[in-house]
Structures are given as structure tokens and as C-alpha cells.
Amino acid sequence: MEIFLQQLVNGIVLGSIYALVALGYTLVYGILGLINFAHGDIVMIGAMVTLAVVHFLSGTGLPGPALVGIGVLVAAIVCMALGYLVERIAYRPLRDAPRLAPLITAIGVSILLQNLAMMIWGREYLSFPPLFQSGSFTFSGVSISPIQILILFASGAMMGALSWMVKRTRLGNAMRATAQHPEVATLLGVDSNLIISITFVIGSALAAVAGTMVGAYYGIAHYDMGFMLGLKAFTAAVLGGIGNIEGAMLGGILLGVIESMGAGYLGALTGGVFGSNYQDVFAFFVLILVLVFRPSGLLGEQVGERP
Amino acid sequence: MRNTIKAFILAIAAMLAACAKHSTDSELLIRIGSAAPLTGPQSHLGKDNDNGVRMAADDLNVKGIVIGEKKAKVVILSEDDQADPRTATIVAQKFVDEEVAGVIGHFNSGTSIPASRIYSDAGIPQISPSATATSYTHQGFKTTFRVVTNDNQQGHALAVFATRVAKRIAIIDDSTAYGRGIADRFEQDVKSMGANVVAHEYTNDHATDFTAILTSIKGKQPDLLFYGGMDAQAGPMMRQLRNLGLNVLFLGADGSKSPEFIRLAGGAAEGAYASAPGIPLESMPGGRDFEKRFTAKYGKIQLYSPYSYDATMAMVAAMEKAGSIDPSVYLPYLAKSDYSGVTGKISFDRNGDILKGAVTIFQVKDGNWKAVSTL
Amino acid sequence: MNRGIRLFLVAAGLIALPFLTDFAFGRTWVRIIDFALLYSMLALGLNIVVGFAGLLDLGYVAFFAVGAYLYALLASPHFGLHLPFWLLLPLGALVAGLFGILLGAPTLRLRGDYLAIVTLGFGEIIRIFLNNLNAPYDITGGPQGVNLIDPITIGGFSLNHPLSSSFPAVYNYYFLFLAVTILVAFVSSRLQNSRIGRAWVAIREDEIAAEAMGINTRNVKLLAFAMGASFGGLSGTLFAGFEGFVSPESFTLMESIMILCMVVLGGMGHIRGVIFGAILLSILPEALRYVGSLQQAIFGHVYADPSSIRMLLFGISLILVMLFRPAGLWPSPVRRRELAAHDETARHENSSIYDAGH
């Protein structure tokens, strides 16, 4: 039972990271119908910038959380600028092109960002200094570390804020209008180009936060860390119903838990035939099952019901 | 526009000219290929291998080489094989085209194996400084060598060490040719030595989260955890291990025995064990000196640069002995190599595996790898 | 120019190609062209699924893997079986085609990007199985792969044997791969102009309308998956015989993405364009190896490490090509007309090509 609860905690923490990254995919997809393959790499840039800032300021004697705070702020600014640029240069000119064209530029941007990062920060795995209090709290045999708690709270707060913004604010209204019908939205006085830019900027800021979390949690950053993470997050977004903010959160946490339980119990369930080496097979199998019965994901495509 | 095109054509022509062989020099040029992943997740290790080869070339050139009464100079051609088997065969063909005298590489077993067929067909000797899969040297090719112990030799030594200190053993491997190869061998040997393998879990070489498999291992209460895989995963795994409150001995293979591991584990590395082929650098004549000079030039030694250094040295030594850089002439001398390098004595058995390869167990003490015992 | 003369010139060019390449650039480039041909087959296969039928597939490399492993397992010391090439080549295509149906069946209802992620998952599932089926029984060799695969042998002649010192093994493979590529291209073009080809286009443009016209969308879609997959299987068997070694590392997601890039960059749905895309993208990363010596020649100094700048340039070229030629470098004439016409209808059609079913 302890082990089961521990696996559940592991899964939820991993899942909230997936969820946070998945939000970036979902926002962009909801509005443009585009899989922004480069999103995972913006997460990576976020982690790298935070790390650079932390290293730069590490001599000042500021406490760890303050360093991370400043770092994430700078990273958010850099990522927002980057997100804006990427949309402007690589996606906007292709808005009327065949739909696979921006997918290819997205792959190009992903390769470009990875190799730029390699040139700037090097080939090595970079390590985050231990910034948070180490050790962990134990509740009836289940251990949880301060940073895990922080991740849960921070991602919960960000998701709540985003959900509120999209549903309740004027900006959110404009975003939803643009998602449903860009031409009509323009007629109604919405500057859809601006809204699309803002969407990218918000998604990139979330990416910066996610990148910092991943870096600080696992203690490492590397120029190709974004690709697999992005892919998992994209899977999570599809599982929940891509284009749907609640869907991204649900999908993220679900995927985290599925992976965790898959790694933990697959061996025991199949009598040792399939072990933790089939963890990803298990996750994809669940995804396929879900999609066979609910072809638009668990929660459907609320935000982005495109015409 | 026309001018740009003209300039471009000129540039291409100049490039081709630069690629063409310089044969006007009276000096004999020994062209040696160096193949490793220079991009991708393993590029820090690939670059480390390449630096070892380059340092050997610089040392040889400073010392001066004479091949059959002719002054010679070593030139290194580095290629990126991206750790990809298909790219590796292109790189191999490129080396064959460029008529290199020998090749140091490749880094991975998965690239060394498909490339070895091309080198063998062309008769060009290949020494891998880091490929450990047993099958690499067991294909019946005369041109394949390696200067590290293979999975069988190292897995056995690791098992001997593990059964001395533990009874209940858990294993994780990274699902790569290297990690799975050594973990399977280790599992087989510890079982035959009477230890109890309580779990064998799997991760992959892109993973960062190991909490799920570590939690499941925690439930089986082992005394020792063996990891078959690279430092980039072993480091973070170590952190998560301690965060989960799992107090077991940690044992890695050579892929984990790097300064990178200690850095990435962020303080949690203390007390961890790992093996490395050969004899510890500090107990070798010239080992300390090598370490000092390498660090000054390229930064910390990651993993296999001493081996790629030795491989290059042994290859050129064979050429000197044979008095020729013609592969068919010096190959027999290489096969009978008897060179004292910084990692130990370099001589090969009939397969091309290193003869009497020692394996040393290291432990992290005060933030540095210290040799514990040589098996 | 007369059609006959043109055909003759193309044929002469293709026959002379390996000799000229070898003379000018060396044998490495003949090997690169061999791989370019294998990729052309793959791109043509994916083109059926993505270009003709409009189904986005991100796991296509799985079929390549199926073909490669089929040959590797049935013609190597791994099981001690050494079945002949002429049997394994069609068998590879057939088995891969069955896998195509296996993938297609549960995903028929999915559209657009949902299909993309499921196919991606399928590709990963196949790779993970190949990587792990070495225990409890050793079927695939696991991560170590399968080694010492028999070279392709036709009528007792092993292609690994050079005909003479100036006619090395890579030439043998070139001519075999060229023949199969031409066959695949021919089948593709016949399919495109057949009833089935038109049904695929109908589904791509509007699935509901296609169904209303009496097209059995289920069977037609499955056929697209099966045909596309079988080309992948063909290419895979040839790959295994050529390389002599297969391991799961060769069948990663990145390979699927590269093949998709070839199709889109070349010009989706256009056979010549797709072949062009495949050749370009398999040659480009290799050509970029020379940026180091190019810098040396122009500036007399190497400013940026060629290995790090190589993939950077590759990424930039993907972006630039798409920005300036969004329909691909060599689109089909129809597609070009659609894009040139900037009226609302054409725009709408284009933007919803992959939304069939909305």
C-alpha cells in the first residue's frame, strides 16, 4: 500500500510537469490548429536560461529560492521573446499554406534551437546546484520532497490562472473567438494576429516555468531534454482532448500516473513477461484505447471547435 | 547574381582542392580516422574520445615519428557518426575513400559493428576505445580491435565485486546495447555466484525520471543496486534514490564512472561504486602526467579519452615497428602489439579483445573517484 | 524534345551516375546515393498515405523496421535460417502491408492530429518490442540487434562481391536499389491515376462527400495504409541486406520525421517531387559535413565547429524552404495552381486538406 501511494505521488508530480508543458501545445493548437513541435525546445531554453542566471548570481549569496525566482523571470522574458519570434518568422507567413508546411518549419525550428543551445551551452549535461532544502517529508512511509510540493502548487496555480484567463477575461474571449473563426473575429474587431502572438507568448512563458521546474527537480539540463518531454506532453494533450485546457491538465496527470503505475506494476500484472521496459507501450496502448472509444480525447475539443 | 554564383563555384573548387591529398610534402602523412558522436546526447563523451586521439597525435608529432627511415606526421580526420548505425557506415566509407591508415572508433557498439564490415573489406585496422559489446570482436574480422574489456569480462568482474558486499541485488539497465549487454551478463554471473537478484527494471537513455522504478525496487529491499548505463542517467538516478530514502549500495559500470556522474548527482554521489577497464591512471607510469596535460588542454577527462589516446599510440607504434603505414603490412604487428599505455598494457588476443584486461572498481570519496580494488 | 530521346538520356544518366560520382567525389557518395534510393522508396510509400490519402502518419519507420527485421531474422545466423532474397523481398512487403492494416484498422475513425499521435505511438511500440524481445526468449536480439546478416544474393551472385576493382559492391547495390525504386515509382504513378488513386484524393479533399459518392472509405483507407507500408517493407529488406546489421537504433521517431520532411519538402502527392525531396534530404546532412573545409577555403580558418554547425544549417534550410515554397520544392502542377489562386475557395480548400470530416 505504501508503495502504491508512493507511485501515485510520483505519477502526479511527473504528471503536473507534463500538464504544464501540454498547456503550451494545447493553447497553440486550440487557436491555430498547429502542432508546435518546437514547444519542447522552448522549455529547454527556459531551463538553460534559468540555470545561466543562477550560476551568474550564485556569488551574491542570495538564498536558493530567490535565485530561482529571478532566474525564472529572466527565462520567461527570453522565452516570450523567442516564442514571439518563432511565430512571427516561422509560422505566420505560412498561415494559408498547406497544413503540413508549418509542421515542417516547426521541426526545423526545433532542430535549430537544439543546435543553437548546444553551441551556447555546450554538449555536456549541465547540473543545477541544489537550490532547495534537500531531504523529504515522510507521511506513513510515503516520502515527498519540498520541491515536489512546490511543483504541485506552482503548476496548479498556473493552470488555474490560465483557465480563468481564457474563460473570464476579455483577452480570453478574444482568444476563443479567434480559435473558432479568425475571419469573423477580425470582423468583430479582434486583432487576430495580435491574439495569436499573445497566445504564443503566454505558452512560452509557461514553457519557461516548466523548464525551470524540470531542471531544478531532476537537477540537470541538456540541449536535447526538450524533445522527449515535448512529445510526452503532446501525447498528454491529445489524451485529454487537444485544444482543451482542462483536457491538457487531466491528460498530463493521467499520463504521469499511467507511466508510474506501468513502470511499477506491469511486471507483477503480466507475471514477469512484460516489465518496466514496456512502460511506454502501456502508455501508448491506453492512449489508443481512449481514442478508439473517444476519438476527440477524454474531454473533447472545447476551446478549439474549428469550423 | 552572376558574381555570387562565380564566387560560390570558386569556393567549391577551393574546397575540393583543400580536400585533395597533399602529397608534395617530403614528410610522410599518417592519416588516422577518428569516429564518434559529436552531436546528440552522447556528444560530450564522443568529443572526449576525439580529444584523446588528437592529444596522442600532438604528442607523437612533437616527439617525432620515423617510419621506415622517413620522417612522418600524424593527421587526424574526425567525423561525426551521430551514434547512428547508418551514418556510421557512411563515415566508414568516407575513411576508406580517404585511404586512412587506420581508424580509432567508433564510440558505440551499435556503430562499431556495422562499420567494422566496411573496414574489414578494405583491410583497414579499427581500434575501438569504448565499444564493449562482445559480438564486436567476434565476427571473424582480422581488422577489429578494442582497448577496453568487453561486457563479458567487465560484467564478470562487477559480479565478483557485488557478491562480496551484497546478497540481495537489484538491477536497472538503460535498454541500450551497452547497458543491457553488461546488465544481462552481470545478472547471470551474480546468480551463479549465489546472490539473489530481487528485481531487474528498465529505463532508457533519454530518461530523467526514475522514481517509479526506484519505488518499485524499494519494495523489494535490496542491499545493492546495479545500473547498466551512462552517467547522464546514473547521476540523476542517484539523487532520486536518496530522495526516496532508499539506502542501498550503488554500483555502476564504466559508463557511470565519470566526473559528470558526481556533478549530476549533486552531492548524492558519495559512496557510489563504479568499474572502469584497465588500471587506475594514477598508478600507471605517465598516467598522472597524461591527466594533467589533458585537463589543461581540453578540460576534465570524461571517460574514454585515456583509452582513445592509448589506441592511437598503439596503432602508430605498430606502424613504426613495421616500418610502414600500409595497413596490410602493419596489421600483423598491431595484432601482436605489446605497448605500455596510460591505461595498462595494450596487447590483443586472437579476436582483437584486450588481453588480460584488468577491471578496477572505484568509489566516490570526498567528491572524487578513488580506486578501491583492481580485479 | 522527343520523349524517346529524353527517356534515353535519363537512363544513360542514371547508369553513369555511380561512375561519375565515384570519379568526382569518391565511393562515400555512391553509398550516400544508395541510401538516398532507399529513402526514395520510403518517401514514395509514405506519400501514398500522406500525399494521396491525406492521412498524417508519424510512425512510418515501423514498416521499414518490419521489413528489415524480417530479412535479418530469416537470413542470418540468428536463427540459423538463410532464406533466399527473392522470397524475402516480397515477403517483407507482404508482412509490412499486414502491419499497415493492423495500424489502420483501429484508427479509421481518427482524423488529423489524433491520427498523427496514434501512428507515432505505433512506431514507438514496434521499436520498443524490437528492443526488448530478447527475453524471456531471444527473438529480435534486443538492443544488440542482429549481426552478420546474409548479403543480398541474386542467382548465386552475392552483391557484396565487387565485380572488379573499379566496380565495387556499392555499385551492385546501386543498380538493384535503382531498379526497385523505379518499380515503386511506377506502381505509385499507376495507382495515382487509377480508380483507387482518385478515391484517395476524394477522401483527402472531403471524406463525407467521398462516402456519399459511394466510395467505401474504410477499405480505401486501409488499402492506402497497406500499400504505403508494403513499400516501407521493401525498402527495409533491402536495407538489412545492404547493411548486414540491424538494431532498433535505426528505427527511431526521428527517422519517421525525416521521411515526412522528405515528402512535404519535395511536394506532397507529386511522385517526382517526393523522390527529389528524399534525395535532397539524405544528401544535405552529408554535404554539410564539408562546411569545415569550406570555411577553411574561404576564410583560411575554421570559425565554427563543423559538427555543431551542420545540423544547425539543416534546421535553417528546412525553415527557409517551407517559407519560400510552402507547397514543396517541386509541387504537382494541380497543387501549384491551387496555391497561386488567391481566392477564398482555394484558401479554404488548402487549409482544410487534413481536416476531412469536419
Side-chain angles (χ1 to χ4, degrees), chain B residues 132 134 138 149-157 181-182 185 189:
Chain B
T132 57
T134 312
H138 289 64
T149 47
N150 65 27
D151 286 345
N152 281 355
Q153 298 165 306
Q154 198 177 180
H156 182 78
I182 203 153
R185 184 68 207 189
D189 284 354

Side-chain angles (χ1 to χ4, degrees), chain B residues 38-356:
Chain B
L38 301 176
T39 53
Q42 295 173 338
S43 48
H44 64 291
L45 300 172
K47 193 76 195 162
D48 185 50
N49 272 22
D50 192 50
N51 287 339
V53 177
R54 291 189 168 272
M55 176 135 149
D58 291 349
D59 285 1
L60 286 164
N61 289 339
V62 167
K63 193 192 78 180
I65 323 158
V66 178
I67 305 258
E69 292 166 10
K70 211 168 172 195
K71 261 181 66 95
K73 186 173 170 243
V74 180
V75 180
I76 302 300
L77 311 171
S78 307
E79 288 293 343
D80 175 16
D81 66 18
Q82 296 171 293
D84 169 46
R86 186 183 58 84
T87 311
T89 61
I90 292 177
V91 165
Q93 185 78 52
K94 192 154 185 268
F95 285 148
V96 171
D97 275 1
E98 281 163 343
E99 291 170 23
V100 296
V103 174
I104 308 297
H106 296 213
F107 176 79
N108 312 71
S109 301
T111 49
S112 299
I113 292 171
S116 62
R117 181 152 108 176
I118 294 172
Y119 297 130
S120 166
D121 284 349
I124 294 176
Q126 169 196 16
I127 309 180
S128 173
S130 47
T132 57
T134 312
S135 61
Y136 162 62
T137 47
H138 289 64
Q139 305 177 81
F141 297 151
K142 286 197 171 58
T143 48
T144 46
F145 301 90
R146 70 174 130 216
V147 290
V148 288
T149 47
N150 65 27
D151 286 345
N152 281 355
Q153 298 165 306
Q154 198 177 180
H156 182 78
L158 281 162
V160 169
F161 177 77
T163 47
R164 267 187 213 160
V165 293
K167 284 275 160 291
R168 296 172 64 82
I169 291 171
I171 297 171
I172 300 178
D173 78 53
D174 70 352
S175 304
T176 63
Y178 162 72
R180 181 75 52 86
I182 203 153
D184 282 352
R185 184 68 207 189
F186 175 82
E187 178 171 6
Q188 203 182 323
D189 284 354
V190 288
K191 273 182 181 161
S192 73
M193 292 172 196
N196 188 5
V197 174
V198 295
H200 189 151
E201 299 290 345
Y202 307 87
T203 181
N204 64 66
D205 57 343
H206 295 284
T208 47
D209 191 298
F210 311 99
T211 48
I213 49 175
L214 289 175
T215 301
S216 130
I217 283 176
K218 190 181 175 186
K220 310 265 174 62
Q221 296 165 323
D223 323 316
L224 179 142
L225 171 63
F226 173 75
Y227 178 61
M230 304 307 291
D231 50 1
Q233 279 70 43
M237 184 183 290
M238 202 68 208
R239 274 198 194 195
Q240 292 166 30
L241 192 77
R242 296 299 179 231
N243 271 340
L244 283 170
L246 189 58
N247 280 316
V248 294
L249 298 172
F250 182 89
L251 174 65
D254 51 342
S256 305
K257 204 234 118 210
S258 68
E260 197 87 343
F261 166 77
I262 300 174
R263 214 160 48 78
L264 296 178
E270 206 57 26
Y273 294 99
S275 63
I279 297 161
L281 268 188
E282 58 264 28
S283 58
M284 285 307 296
R288 282 222 183 272
D289 174 55
F290 169 81
E291 193 175 357
K292 222 179 351 184
R293 287 186 305 124
F294 187 91
T295 312
K297 209 162 177 179
Y298 304 107
K300 266 196 173 176
I301 295 173
Q302 289 297 342
L303 270 179
Y304 303 108
S305 43
Y307 304 93
S308 63
Y309 179 86
D310 273 0
T312 318
M313 288 299 204
M315 184 177 271
V316 174
M319 293 175 191
E320 283 185 300
K321 226 180 247 172
S324 166
I325 62 166
D326 182 347
S328 60
V329 180
Y330 86 84
L331 182 60
Y333 289 86
L334 182 62
K336 284 179 292 184
S337 224
D338 184 28
Y339 174 80
S340 292
V342 294
T343 62
K345 175 166 281 182
I346 310 291
S347 43
F348 304 104
D349 68 7
R350 61 189 176 82
N351 290 322
D353 274 326
I354 186 140
L355 208 61
K356 292 194 214 108

Side-chain angles (χ1 to χ4, degrees), chain B residues 15 39 79-80 82-83 85-87 89-91 93-94 97 110 113-114 117-118 139 175-177 180-181, chain C residues 26-28 31 35 39 131-132 134 143-144 147 149 160 242-245 249-250 286 289-290 294 307 310:
Chain B
M15 179 188 92
T39 53
E79 288 293 343
D80 175 16
Q82 296 171 293
R86 186 183 58 84
T87 311
T89 61
I90 292 177
V91 165
Q93 185 78 52
K94 192 154 185 268
D97 275 1
I113 292 171
R117 181 152 108 176
I118 294 172
Q139 305 177 81
S175 304
T176 63
R180 181 75 52 86
Chain C
R27 257 161 223 176
T28 316
R31 176 172 279 269
F35 281 122
Y39 277 112
N131 202 30
N132 288 304
N134 58 333
Q144 315 272 359
N147 197 11
I149 301 167
N160 266 23
F242 181 44
E243 284 275 88
F245 171 78
E249 289 166 289
S250 297
E286 298 308 323
R289 280 182 192 281
Y290 295 92
L294 193 66
S307 57
R310 191 161 74 96

Side-chain angles (χ1 to χ4, degrees), chain A residues 226-245:
Chain A
F227 188 74
M228 271 319 276
L229 183 65
L231 217 62
K232 289 278 170 69
F234 177 57
T235 310
V238 171
L239 185 65
I242 193 163
N244 180 325
I245 289 178

Side-chain angles (χ1 to χ4, degrees), chain A residues 29 99 118 231 234 292 301, chain C residues 109 113-114 253 308 355:
Chain A
Y29 189 90
R99 259 186 86 190
M118 184 179 94
L231 217 62
F234 177 57
V292 164
E301 295 184 10
Chain C
R109 284 172 66 200
D113 305 296
Y114 291 93
L253 173 65
S308 35
D355 282 326

